[in-house]
Amino acid sequence: MSSPALHLAVEIDGEGAHPAAWRRAGHSPDQLLTPRRVARVAAVAENAGFTLITLDDGVLPPGASPDPVGRIGAVERAAFVAASTSTIGIAPLVPVTYAEPFHVSSQLASLDHISAGRAGWVVAEEELPEAARAWGRPLVADAEAQARESRDGVEVARALWDSWEDDAVIRSVATSRYLDRERLHYIDFTGETYAVKGPAIVPRPPQGQLVVLGRPDRVPAAQLDVALVEGRDLTSVAAAAAAAGTPRVFAEVEVALDTPDATGAERVADLERHAPWTDRGRLRHIGPADQLVSLLAELSRHVDGVRLHPLVLDEDLPVLSRLVLPTLSERRLVARPLPGTSLRSTLGLERPANRYEAAAAAVAAQEDAR
């Protein structure tokens, strides 16, 4: 790891990690899908000092009956949040199992422009057959095929982000030219199920390449900037982190904290009367804030960051803001993102060179050597 600072991300989709979290929300259900709600949660996370917020998504409704469900697209929410925040990173989850990678890459590049270089991308998969029907596409049935679609989708998106060189936009009034066509490139990708010619329709993102997060067992480590690793205990998380092979590693941790009104265990028990909290194989902390601080301090020896999944956002996020992040900051275990800093810079990742510029430079160097 390049820095002792632990980067903290928080998932802010819906009301929280529990499917019945809406029952303990601090607002009426009709406020969930309002811009004010999204902006408020993002502002709390930014003011607390989180490095990154993530936004879950999928073509199918989240959760299951009898709990009410609803969701606005993650990219749309991320774009709205980008305009109302200034330092925090924003990473929507966008599956490419059925979505067109060309359009996904354009949306994400636009998000990076809107956020001035604070965008990321959580790569995931649409696993249920109903998703194929919703998209009107042939079913991608097995895990190997789903992983292939994710792998190809990331490859296409990364190539398209490089298909415009950094100085392709010239905006020459004298010649009435907006861009230099010689600095746009075809990517000429051909996979097992589709082909993409390119170039992109959006200029290269401010970060060059967005920060790509995902599970290293589903997307090749070489395509990821941040591996999201799971494990039910510290030993399992440490082993997964050591095997990830990516520049940065974040552990997935679910939390149900003690609040002034109830303990974490009492809150979980209250919600479990309505629906089970699905075991996703993640480390789970249920209890006081000081014990979570100790857990995060121990995790900082093995990972670069942690993505927290609060049981109920309206109850857990205030405790994280008041008791967890300030304590970690006092112990110099976390550092706040700085204004004007890209997400890549915050995570200690270099801005990658454009592959086409690098190839041209290599050819020129060889010719000079002759």
Side-chain angles (χ1 to χ4, degrees):
M1 285 179 259
S2 62
S3 168
L6 188 71
H7 300 287
L8 292 183
V10 59
E11 171 58 53
I12 66 168
D13 179 62
E15 302 289 10
H18 197 284
W22 66 275
R23 296 178 181 274
R24 299 187 64 93
H27 61 84
S28 59
D30 64 339
Q31 295 181 30
L32 173 61
L33 302 183
T34 62
R36 181 176 296 178
R37 161 70 179 175
V38 177
R40 183 180 69 81
V41 175
V44 171
E46 181 171 61
N47 292 336
F50 279 96
T51 297
L52 177 69
I53 56 175
T54 63
L55 295 151
D56 200 1
D57 202 1
V59 70
L60 300 176
S65 58
D67 297 296
V69 294
R71 175 185 277 157
I72 297 172
V75 175
E76 289 80 5
R77 284 178 288 160
F80 181 82
V81 168
S84 62
T85 55
S86 59
T87 61
I88 198 166
I90 307 157
L93 184 149
V94 187
V96 284
T97 311
Y98 302 105
E100 294 281 357
F102 186 93
H103 300 311
V104 170
S105 72
S106 299
Q107 291 174 324
L108 293 171
S110 299
L111 176 62
D112 204 42
H113 283 285
I114 293 168
S115 65
R118 293 181 287 124
W121 174 21
V122 181
V123 183
E125 295 159 4
E126 299 274 16
E127 298 179 349
L128 297 177
E130 293 82 359
R133 291 197 292 271
W135 278 100
R137 294 185 177 273
L139 176 65
V140 181
D142 59 273
E144 182 178 346
Q146 291 170 4
R148 177 200 64 216
E149 294 301 310
S150 291
R151 179 186 67 243
D152 288 354
V154 175
E155 183 177 344
V156 167
R158 285 195 177 277
L160 287 168
W161 292 335
D162 277 351
S163 65
W164 289 50
E165 295 184 20
D166 286 318
D167 54 357
V169 179
I170 55 177
R171 297 187 179 92
S172 173
V173 176
T175 62
S176 299
R177 295 170 67 209
Y178 174 73
L179 54 84
D180 183 348
R181 292 178 58 190
E182 298 302 318
R183 294 174 182 171
L184 269 62
H185 303 275
Y186 296 115
I187 70 168
D188 292 325
F189 172 85
T190 301
E192 294 183 38
T193 57
Y194 59 83
V196 178
K197 186 73 173 176
I201 57 174
V202 179
R204 195 174 192 226
Q207 296 183 97
Q209 295 275 321
L210 276 70
V211 175
V212 180
L213 307 90
R215 290 173 48 185
D217 60 331
R218 308 304 298 161
V219 181
Q223 292 183 323
L224 295 175
D225 297 298
V226 178
L228 301 175
V229 299
E230 300 176 340
R232 292 185 176 88
D233 52 51
L234 280 170
T235 301
S236 300
V237 171
T246 52
R248 298 290 179 266
V249 180
F250 278 33
E252 301 273 33
V253 179
E254 298 172 337
V255 294
L257 297 169
D258 293 352
T259 69
D261 299 322
T263 67
E266 290 170 343
R267 295 168 52 230
V268 171
D270 177 51
L271 294 178
E272 292 288 282
R273 295 185 297 112
H274 306 285
W277 192 6
T278 304
D279 183 356
R280 301 181 183 274
R282 296 169 177 165
L283 192 61
R284 183 175 289 182
H285 170 78
I286 301 175
D290 59 345
Q291 290 183 11
L292 177 60
V293 169
S294 299
L295 174 62
L296 295 176
E298 180 65 24
L299 281 169
S300 69
R301 299 171 50 194
H302 306 287
V303 298
D304 304 286
V306 172
R307 181 164 71 144
L308 299 174
H309 299 262
L311 180 79
V312 181
L313 280 169
D314 286 348
E315 293 182 327
D316 291 285
L317 195 54
V319 179
L320 290 167
S321 302
R322 291 196 318 268
L323 301 179
V324 176
L325 272 81
T327 303
L328 290 170
S329 182
E330 290 173 5
R331 295 173 60 175
R332 298 188 177 182
L333 288 173
V334 297
R336 299 177 68 96
L338 299 176
T341 304
S342 72
L343 179 57
R344 295 192 73 88
S345 296
T346 297
L347 296 176
L349 300 169
E350 293 184 0
R351 187 180 189 274
N354 183 291
R355 69 188 68 190
Y356 299 102
E357 293 182 66
V363 170
Q366 290 178 352
E367 292 177 351
D368 290 343
R370 294 171 187 168

